[in-house]
Amino acid sequence: MLVKEFRIRNNCTVEEYRIAQLFSVAKMSLNETGDGEGVEVIKNEPYDDENGKGQYTYKIYHLASRAPGVVRAVAPKEALELHEEAWNGYPSCKTVTTSPWMKGDFKMVTETMHLADRGNTENALNKPADVLAQREVVYLDVADETIVSKSAYKKEEDPRVYKSQKTGRGPLSTADWAETCEPIMTCYKMVTVEFKWWGLQTAVEALIMSYTRKAMHLMHRQLFCDTDEWHGMTMEELRKLEDETTKNLLDKRHKQLENKTDFS
């Protein structure tokens, strides 16, 4: 089992980040879906139970097109799908990702707390001492461009260059921006990965954690550079956008699947 706590500081308020994150997830889901692959939203509904209240989502990630050809040729369909359940009781959230094909041999849990600080709360998720002893704390700097390859770099998606016209925030061009800018908030994300195949556990857990780190980093860079798109949105407008995105995702997948042939 591998445990890391990512701390991601953002130039926005905790209240603003709630909208920003949901907007970014909807945008990313639409961009990642095509050719019958990508994100399928099964449920997106409120919950109110013994665990609290918030928004519950259940998604299936169809990943066949991202797997090497030799893997697609021998692996069953279920092996190329990930199922994700999320309970967003903002400012705390929990996401559980599993593989139906691997049953109990794979599980990734992401627990998140959002606080109005600069990433200096040592136990934001209120974990016991044994978990804290296992975790590795990793700070992700949204202004760090080394995560982006030269071929994928876009000036308009660089927080070191971007300046919001609505808020006047940015660019995040100084080394100490996270210590000096206002407003500021931090996403504390504790990710626990378990992969229980003997001989592969350590390597696969490290690979999954590396991919997760990169995905979080890129998403938060984009989140900042999309400030003028999400800033000022209400929750009602956001829920409408989510409903429209769910419909578009479904239409996009169905259209691509209909256009596929056995020779594609």
Side-chain angles (χ1 to χ4, degrees), residues 66-204:
R66 299 187 180 187
V70 65
V71 174
R72 295 199 302 270
V74 300
K77 178 182 176 182
E78 295 79 10
L80 302 174
E81 291 182 354
L82 291 178
H83 289 221
E84 176 193 276
E85 291 184 277
W87 295 263
N88 189 344
Y90 203 82
S92 64
C93 308
K94 182 177 182 179
T95 302
V96 178
T97 305
T98 57
S99 165
W101 185 64
M102 292 188 66
K103 299 184 174 17
D105 289 337
F106 168 71
K107 186 176 185 180
M108 183 170 77
V109 179
T110 303
E111 298 168 278
T112 307
M113 179 59 72
H114 305 90
L115 297 177
D117 67 12
R118 297 186 186 275
N120 51 7
T121 301
E122 282 311 305
N123 192 7
L125 290 152
N126 197 29
K127 290 298 181 180
D130 60 325
V131 174
L132 296 180
Q134 283 184 284
R135 72 168 180 179
E136 176 189 352
V137 175
V138 179
Y139 284 87
L140 299 184
D141 183 355
V142 299
D144 178 8
E145 79 284 2
T146 60
I147 190 72
V148 183
S149 66
K150 289 184 178 180
S151 60
Y153 176 83
K154 296 179 182 179
K155 185 177 180 180
E156 64 272 19
E157 296 177 0
D158 187 347
R160 299 173 307 155
V161 178
Y162 173 81
K163 184 174 180 65
S164 165
Q165 297 304 306
K166 284 186 177 180
T167 67
R169 298 170 192 169
L172 307 181
S173 56
T174 62
D176 64 345
W177 73 266
E179 302 300 331
T180 59
C181 78
E182 292 289 351
I184 190 75
M185 60 81 64
T186 304
C187 304
Y188 294 84
K189 291 182 171 290
M190 182 172 286
V191 181
T192 303
V193 177
E194 289 186 276
F195 188 91
K196 298 179 181 178
W197 281 12
W198 186 86
L200 295 174
Q201 180 171 353
T202 300
V204 173

Side-chain angles (χ1 to χ4, degrees), residues 40-55:
E40 181 181 2
V41 180
I42 306 299
K43 290 184 179 181
N44 184 2
E45 60 192 23
Y47 71 89
D48 187 353
D49 55 29
E50 65 276 6
N51 297 314
K53 60 193 304 185
Q55 195 76 7

